[in-house]
């Protein structure tokens, strides 16, 4: 199963991101979407698993703060800000978060920690990134996708 993993789109779905979504069997979004039309657009590509970010206000009342989902035998725990994680992460294979706009892919205490970075408007002079992942029979392979952009 192929997953598109993104966060912090902040009202922007770049054409390069949409190309990646065309190949996805499911989409995981770590929050800060900023408007309902982006959620609607994402749902046109694949089943969407999304959490609410700190910039997702009144319109996002139906979007959960955190979410646990198992895909391809891999259990993901999603939350926008990793500072809001519960103390007990038992059962989670992967923690997916956003908020910092910084790409993270590291294993700690048997859990894979993923932050796809931001693929929305460029901020803080950081890369524009997302992830694509293959999950199967309880294992996950993650690929960093660097989105080209003009540096100003």
């Amino acid at each position: 199963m192929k997953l598109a993993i993104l966060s912090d789109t902040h009202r922007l779905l770049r054409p390069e991101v949409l190309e990646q979504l065309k190949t996805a069997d499911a989409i995981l979004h770590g929050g800060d979407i900023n408007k309902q039309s982006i959620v609607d657009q994402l749902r046109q590509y694949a089943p969407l698993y999304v959490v609410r970010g700190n910039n997702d206000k009144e319109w996002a009342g139906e979007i959960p703060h955190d979410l646990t989902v198992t895909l391809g035998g891999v259990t993901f725990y999603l939350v926008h800000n990793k500072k809001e994680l519960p103390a007990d992460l038992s059962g989670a294979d992967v923690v997916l978060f956003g908020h910092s706009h910084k790409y993270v892919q590291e294993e700690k205490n048997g859990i894979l920690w993923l932050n796809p970075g931001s693929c929305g408007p460029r901020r803080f002079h950081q890369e524009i990134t997302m992830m694509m992942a293959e999950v199967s029979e309880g294992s996950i392979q993650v690929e960093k996708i660097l989105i080209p952009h003009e540096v100003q």
Side-chain angles (χ1 to χ4, degrees):
M1 171 180 253
K2 193 166 190 177
L3 305 178
I5 303 173
L6 54 154
S7 188
D8 296 277
T9 46
H10 292 282
R11 298 180 183 255
L12 176 63
L13 286 177
R14 296 170 179 273
E16 299 88 350
V17 172
L18 297 177
E19 280 302 309
Q20 295 291 329
L21 297 180
K22 289 178 183 178
T23 67
D25 298 307
I27 301 166
L28 303 176
H29 195 299
D32 273 1
I33 308 137
N34 290 78
K35 64 179 182 176
Q36 182 65 45
S37 63
I38 298 292
V39 173
D40 297 340
Q41 192 174 357
L42 291 170
R43 285 188 173 134
Q44 292 175 12
Y45 288 89
L48 175 65
Y49 303 92
V50 60
V51 291
R52 186 173 60 247
N54 59 298
N55 286 299
D56 299 322
K57 303 297 182 190
E58 298 80 25
W59 70 269
E62 299 299 312
I63 296 175
H65 170 270
D66 55 272
L67 179 66
T68 302
V69 61
T70 301
L71 300 167
V74 176
T75 300
F76 294 84
Y77 183 89
L78 286 71
V79 68
H80 181 62
N81 187 338
K82 72 177 181 179
K83 292 179 181 177
E84 298 174 358
L85 284 166
D88 182 10
L89 291 170
S90 59
D93 301 307
V94 177
V95 170
L96 171 62
F97 61 99
H99 189 60
S100 70
H101 295 221
K102 293 179 184 172
Y103 187 94
V104 173
Q105 181 179 340
E106 63 185 2
E107 191 162 329
K108 292 190 291 190
N109 302 322
I111 296 175
L112 182 60
W113 292 71
L114 299 178
N115 182 337
S118 171
C119 59
R122 185 166 184 258
R123 296 173 60 200
F124 314 123
H125 303 288
Q126 293 177 5
E127 297 177 319
I128 298 171
T129 57
M130 63 177 288
M131 297 172 166
M132 293 300 290
E134 286 282 344
V135 291
S136 178
E137 299 176 12
S139 70
I140 181 169
Q141 301 279 122
V142 179
E143 177 188 1
K144 177 180 182 178
I145 306 295
L146 184 60
I147 308 295
H149 61 281
E150 289 184 26
V151 177
Q152 298 178 5

